[in-house]
Amino acid sequence: MNLTADTTVRELALEIPAATRVFEKMGIDYCCGGKRSLADACVSAGVEFKDVKIELTLAAHAQAETPDFRTTTLENLISHIVVKHHSYTRLEIARLNALLGKVCTAHGENHPELFRIKVLFRELGADLESHMTKEERVLFPYIIRMEAAAQQLVPLFRPPFGTVANPVRMMMLE
């Protein structure tokens, strides 16, 4: 994306999902003020355009960096999933719950459907938390033990859930 002073806040939020966190940090309204140019939004928020542009550029580059997992161990992949994605998901659920509260307060009177969205999102967050916890406590530790046993050429004990296919199937169903 060509990030210019005329690019709208909405366009940036759509193109660079991490831009919303930059906007929140800088006090830029991307909800009701999404149609404004970035330059106008910066003036309204009392921040320098160049500072916001730097933050947005960094966010876009961080988003583009994708590790190559074709050559890593399953343990490293699992660690990446837990540290990067599970942590991120937990933080985002909390952040989005707070934002939904603000949106419901600001627009709920004219849009009562927002309250249903808020309830559904909280249910989704609880489901995701349960899913991630099962991965972290059951599935991932067993996969790490499987990989270690294969590398050391030792037998693997039989888990209480039978075969690894069972928790994988449960994760897929969820």
Side-chain angles (χ1 to χ4, degrees), residues 6-62:
D6 294 326
T7 308
T8 68
V9 172
R10 178 184 184 279
E11 289 171 324
L12 291 165
L14 290 172
E15 184 74 23
I16 309 167
T20 58
R21 282 173 290 295
V22 172
F23 294 150
E24 289 167 15
K25 176 180 161 186
M26 301 290 209
I28 293 174
D29 177 13
Y30 60 90
C31 177
C32 300
K35 293 181 181 177
R36 289 189 296 178
S37 70
L38 184 57
D40 289 343
C42 289
V43 169
S44 293
V47 293
E48 292 291 324
F49 170 78
K50 65 178 176 57
D51 295 335
V52 175
K53 184 174 181 177
I54 289 168
E55 292 283 333
L56 290 170
T57 302
L58 289 172
H61 287 302

Side-chain angles (χ1 to χ4, degrees), residues 68-172:
D68 181 5
F69 292 111
R70 294 174 293 180
T71 57
T72 192
T73 63
L74 291 173
E75 185 172 7
N76 287 340
L77 174 60
I78 288 168
S79 176
H80 175 80
I81 290 168
V82 171
V83 170
K84 180 105 174 159
H85 298 288
H86 285 194
S87 297
Y88 172 81
T89 300
R90 287 181 172 110
L91 289 172
E92 287 302 292
I93 288 170
R95 183 180 77 85
L96 292 171
N97 272 322
L99 285 173
L100 274 168
K102 289 179 184 179
V103 168
C104 286
T105 300
H107 303 288
E109 188 175 312
N110 294 327
H111 298 280
E113 67 274 10
L114 290 171
F115 294 102
R116 179 72 179 136
I117 292 170
K118 182 178 168 184
V119 168
L120 290 172
F121 186 78
R122 287 212 169 124
E123 290 173 5
L124 172 65
D127 288 347
L128 282 169
E129 178 59 42
S130 172
H131 180 89
M132 292 184 296
T133 299
K134 287 181 218 172
E135 285 179 335
E136 292 168 8
R137 292 188 181 163
V138 177
L139 180 60
F140 290 167
Y142 190 70
I143 290 172
I144 290 168
R145 286 193 296 275
M146 285 174 52
E147 181 176 52
Q151 288 172 345
Q152 298 165 11
L153 301 172
V154 297
L156 182 65
F157 72 90
R158 187 162 174 86
F161 46 77
T163 166
V164 74
N166 291 330
V168 169
R169 186 173 34 259
M170 289 306 298
M171 296 293 122
M172 299 284 286

